[in-house]
Amino acid sequence: MRMKIGSINDAMSEFPEPVLRVDTMSNGFDLPILGGERRKQHLNEVLKMKMRPDDVIVATYPKAGTTWLQEIVWLICNDADTTLAKITMQGERYGWMEKLGSIAGKGLEELNTWPRERTRFMKTHLPFQLLPNELQNEAICKLIYVARNPKDNCVSSYYFHRMNKILPDPGPLNEFLERFYQGNLAFGSWFDHVDKYWQMSQERQGTIYFAFYENMKRNCKAEIKKLANFLEKDLSETQIDVIANHCAFENMKDNKTVNYSHLVESGLFDEKISKYMRKGQVGDWKNHLTISQNERFDILIQKKTKDWTLKFDFE
Ligand code: PPS
């Protein structure tokens, strides 16, 4: 079950320039990135990646429920085999397109050499405009996106920035909120990210599935059924129950293949500040945002989403 994790020093040296800077990729798309020139080169390699019709991609804005959705999708595609899921790190079952360095499992190199006969499971936080060019141009394979309401997404991200030693210190919440509003975070603006995937999911119904964290939370079994239908997998009621139970927050938080406790052991995540599996709730933002911060957030959401058909639940 263990995978190569290295020490915090290895991780730091593999992650040059922990400073956020906006860079222009080879296709002209601008993105705030961490990791400097090496990250930019890597993202340009992702653009060139060759896709396969049976690829399965989980895409999200960071902290929207990626790990949760990855686990559900993998189990749907693997006959609810929770025995295998419990002994194989999720980072070994999935490749992470934009991953730099040796921490947290498979990356682009492993994705490019993935055995042909096996479904390639991938995760990414990249905006749609930086997915492999082939996939941007054509609906080659299935992609599942999960979005989470911006207030909970932002608070979850704030705690992740505080506990993850590779990320720059976010400072007080007030400052982080400003960065979230302005899209001055790795992977850019939540609003632009979600909006583009939503538009694409409308254009490419049948190959892009747009899920909501809040719906998964409200009725996980119903979401699993819809996802299985999208992935063209026949699951029995018992298998759906098994997946829902395995993927319940209470069980995932104690499951070492998905809870990133290996990065606590390696010194990269500081659990005293926050656990990776922190709260797993809808509406936790109420415990963190002041009345005035919340009012400012509401004004911004109204401004940025005034033309959206997409609506979010906040509690
Ligand atoms: S990452 O690092 O961007 O991949 O993080 P990501 O997995 O997207 O998001 C982490 C948040 O998802 C919560 N989570 C869950 N919620 C409900 N049910 C389950 N099973 C589950 N698994 C993970 C996790 O707790 C983080 O949210 P917060 O609000 O911080 O608790």
Side-chain angles (χ1 to χ4, degrees), residues 248-256 258-259 275 277:
F249 182 76
E250 290 309 310
N251 293 329
M252 277 188 58
K253 80 177 174 33
D254 295 327
N255 177 352
K256 284 196 163 225
V258 292
N259 69 8
K275 286 186 183 257
M277 296 285 174

Side-chain angles (χ1 to χ4, degrees), residues 60-70 72 90 96 123 125 146 148 152-153 155-157 159-160 164 213 216-217 246-253 258 260 269 274-282 284:
T60 67
Y61 190 79
K63 311 319 285 184
T66 327
T67 318
W68 186 16
L69 180 65
Q70 280 180 266
I72 291 174
Q90 194 184 69
W96 184 0
K123 91 160 179 187
H125 296 310
V146 61
R148 184 178 193 182
D152 281 326
N153 204 144
V155 168
S156 178
S157 185
Y159 279 92
F160 188 64
N164 184 342
Y213 180 100
M216 285 163 61
K217 198 71 199 168
H246 175 96
C247 294
F249 182 76
E250 290 309 310
N251 293 329
M252 277 188 58
K253 80 177 174 33
V258 292
Y260 287 85
F269 287 177
S274 171
K275 286 186 183 257
Y276 184 85
M277 296 285 174
R278 195 182 56 93
K279 288 258 183 90
Q281 288 172 5
V282 179
D284 178 52

Side-chain angles (χ1 to χ4, degrees), residues 19-234:
V19 175
L20 196 67
R21 74 171 202 218
V22 177
D23 223 322
T24 305
M25 303 308 143
S26 60
N27 65 355
F29 188 80
D30 287 339
L31 186 74
I33 56 168
L34 281 168
E37 199 48 38
R38 198 167 145 220
R39 168 78 69 188
K40 185 178 169 183
Q41 278 171 16
H42 184 90
L43 295 186
N44 286 331
E45 288 307 309
V46 172
L47 286 170
K48 293 185 221 153
M49 201 178 159
K50 295 273 161 234
M51 302 307 296
R52 305 175 186 175
D54 62 337
D55 285 338
V56 174
I57 303 174
V58 167
T60 67
Y61 190 79
K63 311 319 285 184
T66 327
T67 318
W68 186 16
L69 180 65
Q70 280 180 266
E71 197 66 358
I72 291 174
V73 165
W74 190 90
L75 285 167
I76 290 173
C77 295
N78 286 277
D79 302 319
D81 189 348
T82 52
T83 309
L84 187 57
K86 279 182 197 149
I87 56 167
T88 319
M89 299 296 285
Q90 194 184 69
E92 295 295 320
R93 290 179 269 136
Y94 274 81
W96 184 0
M97 281 183 190
E98 65 271 20
K99 187 178 85 73
L100 279 185
S102 63
I103 54 158
K106 293 181 169 159
L108 187 60
E109 206 182 311
E110 288 88 352
L111 283 172
N112 284 333
T113 53
W114 199 279
R116 282 264 156 202
E117 64 282 5
R118 280 176 33 210
T119 302
R120 204 162 50 154
F121 292 93
M122 302 185 231
K123 91 160 179 187
T124 185
H125 296 310
L126 290 172
F128 186 88
Q129 296 90 331
L130 287 181
L131 290 180
N133 285 321
E134 282 188 359
L135 185 59
Q136 288 190 55
N137 296 337
E138 208 187 326
I140 298 178
C141 63
K142 299 216 173 186
L143 183 149
I144 303 131
Y145 186 84
V146 61
R148 184 178 193 182
N149 81 66
K151 294 180 187 175
D152 281 326
N153 204 144
C154 178
V155 168
S156 178
S157 185
Y158 176 65
Y159 279 92
F160 188 64
H161 275 74
R162 288 187 56 201
M163 63 81 104
N164 184 342
K165 294 186 186 164
I166 241 173
L167 296 175
D169 180 356
L173 178 59
N174 229 12
E175 278 175 25
F176 189 79
L177 286 171
E178 287 307 314
R179 286 177 58 198
F180 188 87
Y181 298 152
Q182 288 159 19
N184 186 19
L185 289 169
F187 305 102
S189 152
W190 178 93
F191 298 94
D192 295 345
H193 204 281
V194 169
D195 186 35
K196 181 68 180 175
Y197 275 102
W198 171 253
Q199 300 300 339
M200 293 313 299
S201 74
Q202 301 306 292
E203 257 178 52
R204 293 191 186 174
Q205 285 179 22
T207 58
I208 299 185
Y209 183 96
F210 196 99
F212 294 88
Y213 180 100
E214 293 76 19
N215 288 351
M216 285 163 61
K217 198 71 199 168
R218 189 179 305 110
N219 191 343
C220 195
K221 275 166 66 172
E223 270 309 304
I224 294 170
K225 283 183 193 172
K226 285 190 205 158
L227 280 164
N229 190 36
F230 171 75
L231 290 161
E232 299 171 69
K233 299 284 173 193
D234 266 335

